[in-house]
Amino acid sequence: LVSRISKHIQDGTPVENILAVTFTNKAAAEMRERLEHSLDQDVSKLWMGTFHSIGFRLLVSHSKTKFKVISQSKQFSIIKRLLSDHKMDVDPAKVIRFINGQKDEGYRATTQSGLYEQAYLLYEQHCHESHLIDFGELLLRSYELLRDNERIREHYKSRFDYILVDEFQDTNVIQYEWLRLLTDTKNN
């Protein structure tokens, strides 16, 4: 991936017109360091990071409301408390897996038909009221931002000449759909 990015830059593509996505902060930092070393130039304007960090960047740039990203342990404690408060006898870890799985597939809670769906709705309401976002929500909201706002979507589609994804085969549904919104099949 570093070689491909290097080649695009050497061929004249402006650094800010490349989006490189990977799965870990460590990989992104290493790729950035290798690029700076091999090109001997500043690549700080390169959009490189994890799906979550780029989703965060999009949301901060375009969201009208402030929010706080919560850790997985904070997510667990919130769900555990909500389940206790509402006397729902279900394993918090299973609820988290359900919620995160739904978000990975691009789904929001829409009904109260089952216990997990009820817990998802309670959790989503709590997070909304408290301006909290978990990692799955970062991707889901940034996807919804691009999907629902043509002006923003077109801005980024025209901005990025190249979108490169490390370990593309490991993308989940929401990551894949997020990428599809940014790509222009007529060009690259």
Side-chain angles (χ1 to χ4, degrees):
L1 199 60
V2 170
S3 296
R4 293 189 78 172
I5 295 168
S6 254
K7 173 123 176 61
H8 290 310
I9 293 169
Q10 290 168 345
D11 288 347
T13 302
V15 173
E16 60 271 15
N17 292 78
I18 298 172
L19 170 63
V21 186
T22 188
F23 284 90
T24 67
N25 290 322
K26 182 180 177 182
E30 183 180 320
M31 287 182 358
R32 185 175 302 280
E33 183 180 306
R34 288 175 55 200
L35 272 169
E36 286 175 345
H37 179 73
S38 70
L39 292 172
D40 196 31
Q41 75 178 69
D42 179 30
V43 292
S44 61
K45 291 185 179 179
L46 174 70
W47 277 57
M48 179 183 293
T50 64
F51 282 97
H52 296 100
S53 67
I54 293 169
F56 178 80
R57 186 174 179 176
L58 288 169
L59 290 175
V60 166
S61 297
H62 300 286
S63 181
K64 292 176 174 55
T65 60
K66 299 285 185 206
F67 58 87
K68 179 182 178 188
V69 180
I70 59 172
S71 66
Q72 292 173 325
S73 62
K74 181 68 175 175
Q75 181 187 32
F76 183 83
S77 67
I78 291 169
I79 288 174
K80 187 175 177 180
R81 184 177 45 80
L82 288 170
L83 293 174
S84 175
D85 290 351
H86 290 85
K87 298 178 181 16
M88 299 172 78
D89 187 25
V90 63
D91 180 358
K94 288 181 180 179
V95 172
I96 288 173
R97 279 194 299 278
F98 174 79
I99 291 170
N100 292 342
Q102 292 293 297
K103 289 179 180 183
D104 286 349
E105 296 292 319
Y107 300 127
R108 291 215 169 272
T110 56
T111 68
Q112 294 188 25
S113 60
L115 201 53
Y116 291 132
E117 290 84 0
Q118 289 174 24
Y120 187 171
L121 285 170
L122 288 169
Y123 172 71
E124 193 168 72
Q125 179 182 357
H126 171 81
C127 288
H128 178 75
E129 290 170 356
S130 304
H131 305 287
L132 302 174
I133 294 180
D134 59 43
F135 291 111
E137 191 73 13
L138 275 174
L139 295 179
L140 191 53
R141 282 199 191 178
S142 61
Y143 165 75
E144 291 169 346
L145 172 75
L146 294 169
R147 180 196 67 197
D148 299 341
N149 192 312
E150 184 177 359
R151 182 186 58 76
I152 292 172
R153 182 177 61 250
E154 291 305 317
H155 166 76
Y156 289 106
K157 280 176 69 171
S158 66
R159 176 187 189 134
F160 298 124
D161 295 326
Y162 296 97
I163 298 175
L164 299 104
V165 182
D166 187 28
E167 303 293 339
F168 179 79
Q169 74 277 2
D170 293 335
T171 56
N172 62 30
V173 172
I174 197 68
Q175 292 163 339
Y176 176 74
E177 293 300 326
W178 184 87
L179 288 166
R180 280 187 36 163
L181 289 173
L182 291 173
T183 58
D184 181 356
T185 56
K186 290 180 268 179
N187 293 326
N188 295 308

